[in-house]
Amino acid sequence: MNNINILWVDDEIDLLKPHILFLEKKNYKVTTCQSGTEAIEALDDKNFDIVFLDENMPGLTGLETLNEIKERRDSLPVVMITKSEEEYIMEEAIGNKIADYLIKPVNPNQILLSLKKNLDNSRLVSEKTTSNYQQEFRKIAMDLSMVNSYEEWVNLYQKLIYWEIQLEDIEDAGMVEILESQKNEANIQFGKYIEKNYFKWFDSNNEAPIMSHTLFKERVVPELSKSKPTLLIVIDNLRYDQWKVFEPIINNYYKKEKEDPFFSILPTATQYARNAIFSGLMPSDMERLFPKYWKNDTDDGGKNLFEAEFLESQMKRLGLTNLTHEYHKITNIKSGKKLVDNFKSLKNNDLTVVVYNFVDMLSHAKTEMEVVRELAANDKAYRSLALSWFKNSPLLEIIHQAQILGFKLILTTDHGTINVKSPSRVIGDRETSLNLRYKTGRSLTYESKDVMVAKDPKVIHLPSINMSSTFIFAKSDLFFAYQNNYNHYVSYYRNTYQHGGISLEEMIIPFVVFNPK
């Protein structure tokens, strides 16, 4: 603590001698001044860690001195001390980014608390967070050994994400590594759980979670009404942890009413999961009922070109023809800004659907562009990059406009994504699909321990490309690598973000309902 230099500015500084002695006994170094002018001179001569500043002084007032200090050293914490409780002084001081605001008479412990809040905050928070996680670690480990239902998996995953974000800024790398190993263990166990239970979810005798194909009917429709317009935003490829760092930004405009995570169907890939949301059907049913809209992996052409048509057909099937709706897909900043400019025209719709395709492009860019690989080197960096985009995106402008116009807001996604670390060898023929987290084709050769196999895709309502087609899904953080040119393939795709397989990150995804503030 003996390296902390305090500048205390007060025209009655002699009366504060007991406070100064108290701080010096605790090894703080205190320099005193009796005017704003003296304080500015002292700052030009010496570096200080914090300033205590009296508001009511002759000559330069406290607020005037504060402005001078901030012009010179904007990041220097300044604690304003004043006899006055007038609101305009508080507002002016807060507007000038003061670190704290104390009302005279102050006692030494108030000063000490302010110092700890401003100078020792990160260490204290880090120590407390680490201690709390150490206690929670044992409980999570016990839960992990006993978890046996989809509700319990959702709760466990939410806990892991909470601690991942809490530990994000602490300096204890060991704790972060422990959490990472706990996440890995959770994904191994989750893979086993899905392998054992996923097939049962399509049996009418078994209880299943809300999934992609039941989401619209079970979760969206109950929120729709003719009395208030609803904006449904589907952010492609949004992980649960990314949603959690977006949440405080959205809270500036909206109040959260409910948060109900749901499960993406397999494969956790856009053409399957997002089409299932809009059609209300599983892929094999889409292929059978809408052959002109559905494309299999090996077919040429875009796989998500008919979401608006799928939505239209589902709304008719559910008897919602009295509700007016529009569908918009945003794939670049230009179309995002155009929607912002025209958003007011949507207020007469009962339902406006916006599919926003940025996060998915970000994950693909990490694979293909070296600079994005560096910017999103791990989950923490990937979250940060996604948050930076969101704060400056047309999507946030759309949400703000929706709040002003009184829209209810529903935010969700089609699937998440996982940072793949370990290759798993696979061999297939030319007709085998290309995705790194799932494969479909005939005569597939693979490592059995690494995958969940659907030898008869129809059991989990997936289409078969031919009579002997099989689906395999990679578990945990594995990715499929072909025998040919294996080493190049592995080095190119390792530590990239992929989706299509079985992991907490890909399958457990957010569904959140808000009302405007």
Side-chain angles (χ1 to χ4, degrees):
M1 207 62 79
N2 53 8
N3 290 326
I4 301 297
N5 288 301
I6 301 167
L7 176 63
W8 199 324
V9 190
D10 195 308
D11 62 315
E12 297 176 326
I13 199 72
D14 293 341
L15 301 178
L16 298 169
K17 192 70 176 170
H19 296 63
I20 292 163
L21 288 171
F22 172 81
L23 292 175
E24 286 175 341
K25 280 182 183 176
K26 293 189 175 292
N27 294 322
Y28 291 96
K29 293 179 180 175
V30 184
T31 300
T32 61
C33 293
Q34 292 183 290
S35 71
T37 306
E38 271 186 63
I40 301 305
E41 290 172 1
L43 278 168
D44 288 338
D45 292 338
K46 185 177 176 183
N47 284 326
F48 292 95
D49 297 291
I50 192 166
V51 178
F52 288 106
L53 179 62
D54 182 32
E55 195 284 317
N56 188 18
M57 296 186 295
L60 279 180
T61 67
L63 287 174
E64 288 168 340
T65 306
L66 175 63
N67 285 330
E68 292 284 340
I69 292 171
K70 287 297 178 182
E71 278 185 22
R72 284 165 170 74
R73 292 181 57 193
D74 184 53
S75 61
L76 179 63
V78 179
V79 177
M80 183 71 81
I81 303 173
T82 177
K83 289 177 184 173
S84 171
E85 294 186 40
E86 287 190 51
E87 194 173 346
Y88 87 91
I89 294 174
M90 293 184 190
E91 289 179 353
E92 185 77 20
I94 291 165
N96 277 293
K97 302 180 187 173
I98 57 156
D100 209 347
Y101 193 96
L102 303 177
I103 307 292
K104 285 185 176 183
V106 291
N107 65 52
N109 283 319
Q110 279 179 288
I111 297 294
L112 190 60
L113 178 61
S114 189
L115 284 167
K116 287 191 177 294
K117 268 197 307 188
N118 286 290
L119 300 179
D120 221 14
N121 183 62
S122 61
R123 180 183 65 81
L124 294 170
V125 169
S126 178
E127 287 176 1
K128 182 67 175 169
T129 302
T130 300
S131 168
N132 288 348
Y133 173 62
Q134 285 172 331
Q135 294 172 28
E136 187 74 3
F137 171 83
R138 298 176 190 88
K139 187 173 185 316
I140 292 172
M142 281 184 62
D143 290 347
L144 193 49
S145 66
M146 298 189 298
V147 61
N148 197 34
S149 70
Y150 62 80
E151 296 98 336
E152 289 169 342
W153 273 113
V154 168
N155 290 336
L156 184 73
Y157 182 45
Q158 287 176 318
K159 275 185 194 174
L160 288 169
I161 286 170
Y162 170 80
W163 284 111
E164 185 174 14
I165 292 171
Q166 289 296 305
L167 293 172
E168 189 171 271
D169 296 320
I170 71 163
E171 295 168 10
D172 189 340
M175 277 294 110
V176 176
E177 284 177 21
I178 290 169
L179 176 67
E180 197 61 39
S181 68
Q182 201 162 47
K183 272 176 62 187
N184 291 339
E185 175 61 24
N187 260 328
I188 290 167
Q189 298 305 325
F190 182 68
K192 292 175 182 175
Y193 170 80
I194 292 295
E195 195 166 18
K196 182 180 176 184
N197 292 278
Y198 187 77
F199 292 81
K200 297 177 189 175
W201 288 350
F202 299 96
D203 182 339
S204 57
N205 296 323
N206 284 287
E207 187 184 351
I210 300 294
M211 296 168 72
S212 309
H213 63 300
T214 56
L215 181 74
F216 190 84
K217 179 183 177 182
E218 299 295 334
R219 293 272 176 82
V220 177
V221 171
E223 301 296 335
L224 302 180
S225 74
K226 291 198 75 66
S227 61
K228 178 185 279 191
T230 298
L231 174 62
L232 168 61
I233 295 176
V234 181
I235 304 177
D236 189 20
N237 209 1
L238 184 73
R239 287 158 53 115
Y240 209 98
D241 60 325
Q242 290 168 330
W243 141 244
K244 293 312 287 185
V245 296
F246 287 6
E247 183 176 7
I249 311 299
I250 297 174
N251 286 345
N252 292 324
Y253 310 106
Y254 275 91
K255 180 183 176 186
K256 184 170 72 175
E257 297 297 324
K258 61 183 75 168
E259 181 174 336
D260 294 314
F262 73 104
F263 280 70
S264 169
I265 63 165
L266 294 172
T268 47
T270 308
Q271 77 193 75
Y272 292 92
R274 200 162 74 209
N275 278 328
I277 290 173
F278 288 119
S279 67
L281 302 168
M282 285 296 288
S284 59
D285 298 317
M286 284 184 260
E287 182 192 45
R288 178 172 54 85
L289 296 170
F290 299 97
K292 63 181 180 178
Y293 296 158
W294 176 260
K295 287 185 183 292
N296 284 314
D297 285 78
T298 52
D299 294 336
D300 293 331
K303 308 292 195 287
N304 285 79
L305 300 179
F306 298 103
E307 290 164 1
E309 289 82 357
F310 275 136
L311 176 62
E312 183 79 36
S313 68
Q314 181 173 195
M315 291 189 73
K316 282 181 182 173
R317 195 169 68 248
L318 297 174
L320 302 173
T321 51
N322 62 321
L323 297 179
T324 57
H325 71 277
E326 275 187 45
Y327 168 93
H328 298 268
K329 184 185 286 188
I330 307 300
T331 56
N332 55 56
I333 195 164
K334 185 179 177 182
S335 57
K337 286 182 174 177
K338 184 177 178 184
L339 187 59
V340 170
D341 293 340
N342 298 325
F343 195 80
K344 284 182 182 174
S345 67
L346 304 176
K347 68 179 185 294
N348 294 323
N349 293 333
D350 299 311
L351 172 64
T352 299
V353 177
V354 175
V355 171
Y356 216 101
N357 259 38
F358 179 82
V359 181
D360 186 54
M361 289 189 284
L362 187 61
S363 68
H364 290 302
K366 176 173 165 58
T367 303
E368 294 156 14
M369 295 174 64
E370 194 62 37
V371 65
V372 182
R373 275 183 184 248
E374 289 186 25
L375 288 170
N378 53 37
D379 287 354
K380 175 183 173 181
Y382 189 40
R383 270 195 303 277
S384 176
L385 197 56
L387 179 60
S388 178
W389 159 75
F390 181 65
K391 284 179 176 177
N392 299 284
S393 69
L395 179 57
L396 186 55
E397 293 181 59
I398 289 166
I399 289 169
H400 188 195
Q401 287 217 26
Q403 178 247 339
I404 292 167
L405 294 170
F407 278 74
K408 177 183 285 189
L409 173 64
I410 301 174
L411 185 77
T412 190
T413 185
D414 46 9
H415 55 77
T417 185
I418 187 168
N419 194 347
V420 294
K421 304 284 178 60
S422 310
S424 179
R425 292 177 190 269
V426 68
I427 300 170
D429 60 24
R430 288 184 180 180
E431 293 296 305
T432 302
S433 61
L434 299 175
N435 189 286
L436 272 71
R437 291 281 292 162
Y438 76 92
K439 297 286 181 192
T440 180
R442 58 189 172 188
S443 307
L444 292 173
T445 304
Y446 47 83
E447 299 281 348
S448 297
K449 66 180 179 11
D450 295 344
V451 305
M452 182 180 100
V453 185
K455 290 188 175 173
D456 181 3
K458 287 186 172 56
V459 175
I460 54 173
H461 299 267
L462 296 178
S464 296
I465 296 171
N466 55 59
M467 289 292 288
S468 56
S469 278
T470 296
F471 272 85
I472 58 170
F473 305 96
K475 295 188 277 191
S476 301
D477 61 359
L478 296 160
F479 64 99
F480 293 126
Y482 287 114
Q483 191 73 34
N484 296 342
N485 211 4
Y486 179 81
N487 290 333
H488 169 76
Y489 201 82
V490 169
S491 64
Y492 186 74
Y493 286 107
R494 193 194 299 273
N495 196 33
T496 62
Y497 285 92
Q498 305 294 335
H499 54 84
I502 298 169
S503 68
L504 293 159
E505 290 90 336
E506 290 162 290
M507 288 190 76
I508 299 179
I509 47 179
F511 177 89
V512 198
V513 179
F514 303 87
N515 274 312
K517 282 188 171 179

